[in-house]
Amino acid sequence: MATTATTWGSRIGFILAGAGSAIGLGSIWKFPFWAGINGGSGFIIPYIIFTFTIGITLLIAELVVGRAGRGSALHALKRLGGPAFSIMGGIAVLTSFVILSYYSVVGGWCVKYLFDSLGGTLVTNDPKVLQATFGALVGDGLTNSLWHLSFLTCGVVALGVVNGIERLSKYLLPTLFILMIVIMIRSLSLPGAMEGVKFLFDFSFDKLTWMSVLNAMGFTFFSLSLGCGIMVTYGAYLKDSTDIPNSSLWIAYLAIQTALLAGLMIMPAVFAMGQDPNAGPGLVFVTIPFIFSQIPFGWFFMILFNVCLLVAALTSSVSLLEVCIAYLQNEWHMKRISASILCYVGLALLGFVSALSFGVWSDVKIFDRIIFDFLDWFCSNIMMPLGGLSIALLAGWKAWNSTYVQVNLVKKYSASANAFIKFSLRFLAPLLVLVVVATGV
């Protein structure tokens, strides 16, 4: 099969590719404002706990299913679980496709803002101008659609796993970390910045609410790319010599590290300038440009920040696209280049719907949400958790013997470690996933 003949060039290449998928815009775009609206530490602490328990268990399970199934998400789940699980594999592929269709719209905003920052047009002392600029971008259907087209990353994936995805990740992930550290240092140097640090890390029980815990649980799925076939597909390219639990630990660690760096990039500057930490998505596209316009060499840091956004968007978008490409290669026997072209056309068309939902189609609403917001809500709160549930049931019950073999293939882990993985997959993960779904609904 087309996908089984492909393997990662190196273990570090796989870890960086997996981390690149997990990091994405979720860490830089969503994490700071989710922390803001959920009380800082009351969100961060549960997020870290969930990531290193249920999150990493499901991450191991997805990679196990991928390596044992050796194929696309649909093929791997069918091979290990039969026809019923193949349906869930197909839904995972569809989920990745839909996510990428609206994700590329946000990616287009990142491209546009990088161009604007290079041209110096984002530097202004008036936040209303920045608000109007962002509103004009998303409200103009044609402009929004064209920037969405400029972002689609089919060309990278068409180059293949090693030459495309792995090479991109090896260069861009270290670059992302360096840029984020530089911006973080500048942000922390501002007068009053420690209030932002205190907001993120000063824990008190009154910040720990039921809703902040549930949101942290949901963000764990989003931040680790669980439930949409990405890690199953990446797992299919793993060599037998790759230690899955150890590699999963590194991916989870890098995902958390990047999220915390994003918080330390943004929140200290937000508090130093007296801005609202609950500003939502506007925190990145309105508040941050205003903050950088107020400090010396702000234009330079504005450029660095938008490069970070674009890099994060690229590394996660290629992983979403690879799920679709692997499916077309495996099930439709298409060549990689042909599959990439087909995906580009399909994503362009579906992405237009999300791009237009801010402007001419803003009155079209599903459950009182515009199309863009509905797709984001449906995928994040319903489809991805259900995908995680199917993986837990498959790896924990139906194919536990295969799971055990794959987990211990390189290194024999202790009985307690294997027991924890088994218990988590069979009972803990399904219970928490159902809670996330029920809350989302």
Side-chain angles (χ1 to χ4, degrees):
M1 296 177 189
T3 52
T4 57
T6 302
T7 57
W8 297 105
S10 64
R11 176 174 174 270
I12 187 63
F14 157 66
I15 290 174
L16 289 176
S21 170
I23 292 167
L25 281 175
S27 297
I28 301 179
W29 179 47
K30 273 193 172 184
F31 181 83
F33 81 76
W34 271 42
I37 64 178
N38 286 286
S41 59
F43 172 82
I44 292 174
I45 292 175
Y47 162 62
I48 293 175
I49 293 173
F50 285 133
T51 298
F52 277 126
T53 52
I54 304 305
I56 202 167
T57 303
L58 287 172
L59 181 57
I60 290 171
E62 292 210 8
L63 293 172
V64 160
V65 169
R67 187 162 71 180
R70 292 296 184 192
S72 67
L74 185 151
H75 175 85
L77 268 71
K78 181 180 180 180
R79 186 174 180 181
L80 268 65
F85 282 96
S86 73
I87 295 174
M88 296 307 300
I91 292 175
V93 175
L94 179 63
T95 301
S96 278
F97 186 83
V98 174
I99 291 174
L100 187 53
S101 73
Y102 67 80
Y103 191 93
S104 64
V105 175
V106 183
W109 301 345
C110 297
V111 178
K112 173 68 163 60
Y113 268 63
L114 178 57
F115 272 96
D116 286 351
S117 62
L118 288 170
T121 58
L122 290 179
V123 180
T124 174
N125 293 323
D126 189 351
K128 292 182 179 179
V129 172
L130 293 167
Q131 184 69 55
T133 299
F134 184 64
L137 169 62
V138 300
D140 186 330
L142 178 59
T143 301
N144 210 8
S145 297
L146 290 175
W147 286 111
H148 145 68
L149 286 178
S150 74
F151 174 77
L152 287 173
T153 51
C154 298
V156 173
V157 179
L159 293 174
V161 173
V162 176
N163 292 327
I165 299 172
E166 186 172 341
R167 183 171 294 176
L168 179 83
S169 302
K170 279 185 175 180
Y171 287 112
L172 292 190
L173 258 295
T175 302
L176 175 63
F177 288 131
I178 292 170
L179 293 177
M180 291 181 75
I181 290 171
V182 171
I183 299 172
M184 179 192 71
I185 292 172
R186 183 66 185 99
S187 180
L188 289 172
S189 69
L190 296 173
M194 287 302 108
E195 288 301 312
V197 177
K198 183 178 178 181
F199 169 81
L200 287 173
F201 299 114
D202 184 24
F203 178 75
S204 58
F205 278 102
D206 62 323
K207 291 183 177 181
L208 191 64
T209 66
W210 178 240
M211 189 53 63
S212 68
V213 171
L214 289 175
N215 285 335
M217 205 185 307
F219 188 74
T220 298
F221 278 91
F222 188 87
S223 68
L224 291 179
S225 302
L226 298 174
C228 56
I230 291 175
M231 294 305 172
V232 175
T233 304
Y234 277 14
Y237 306 144
L238 282 177
K239 298 174 182 177
D240 289 340
S241 58
T242 301
D243 185 342
I244 286 180
N246 181 267
S247 298
S248 300
L249 186 65
W250 273 106
I251 291 171
Y253 167 74
L254 291 173
I256 289 176
Q257 181 189 58
T258 309
L260 294 178
L261 279 176
L264 289 171
M265 273 200 318
I266 292 175
M267 285 305 171
V270 167
F271 277 82
M273 293 297 171
Q275 298 300 299
D276 182 10
N278 304 323
L283 193 65
V284 167
F285 294 105
V286 177
T287 305
I288 293 302
F290 169 71
I291 289 172
F292 284 130
S293 69
Q294 307 302 302
I295 64 176
F297 300 104
W299 59 270
F300 174 71
F301 290 99
M302 187 71 251
I303 292 172
L304 294 187
F305 180 76
N306 283 296
V307 170
C308 285
L309 281 183
L310 185 57
V311 168
L314 287 170
T315 56
S316 53
S317 67
V318 295
S319 63
L320 289 163
L321 184 55
E322 180 62 21
V323 176
C324 307
I325 299 297
Y327 165 76
L328 293 175
Q329 286 187 285
N330 226 164
E331 309 303 324
W332 291 18
H333 308 292
M334 294 182 67
K335 294 184 181 298
R336 178 170 284 269
I337 293 178
S338 300
S340 299
I341 293 172
L342 179 61
C343 284
Y344 184 88
V345 174
L347 289 166
L349 294 174
L350 186 56
F352 288 154
V353 177
S354 292
L356 294 173
S357 67
F358 293 94
V360 294
W361 288 355
S362 60
D363 292 333
V364 179
K365 295 187 177 181
I366 306 173
F367 295 116
D368 204 33
R369 293 177 171 88
I370 63 172
I371 297 172
F372 178 98
D373 290 339
F374 172 77
L375 292 177
D376 184 31
W377 168 81
F378 190 70
C379 289
S380 299
N381 294 282
I382 308 296
M383 301 300 289
M384 292 177 71
L386 287 178
L389 177 62
S390 67
I391 290 292
L393 296 177
L394 175 58
W397 292 95
K398 180 78 172 177
W400 169 248
N401 290 338
S402 294
T403 301
Y404 181 86
V405 169
Q406 292 293 330
V407 166
N408 298 279
L409 193 60
V410 176
K411 173 186 175 182
K412 180 70 174 179
Y413 283 88
S414 66
S416 58
N418 282 288
F420 173 75
I421 294 173
K422 185 177 183 179
F423 176 78
S424 296
L425 291 176
R426 288 191 169 186
F427 303 107
L428 199 54
L431 175 63
L432 294 179
V433 167
L434 290 174
V435 171
V436 170
V437 173
T439 306
V441 172

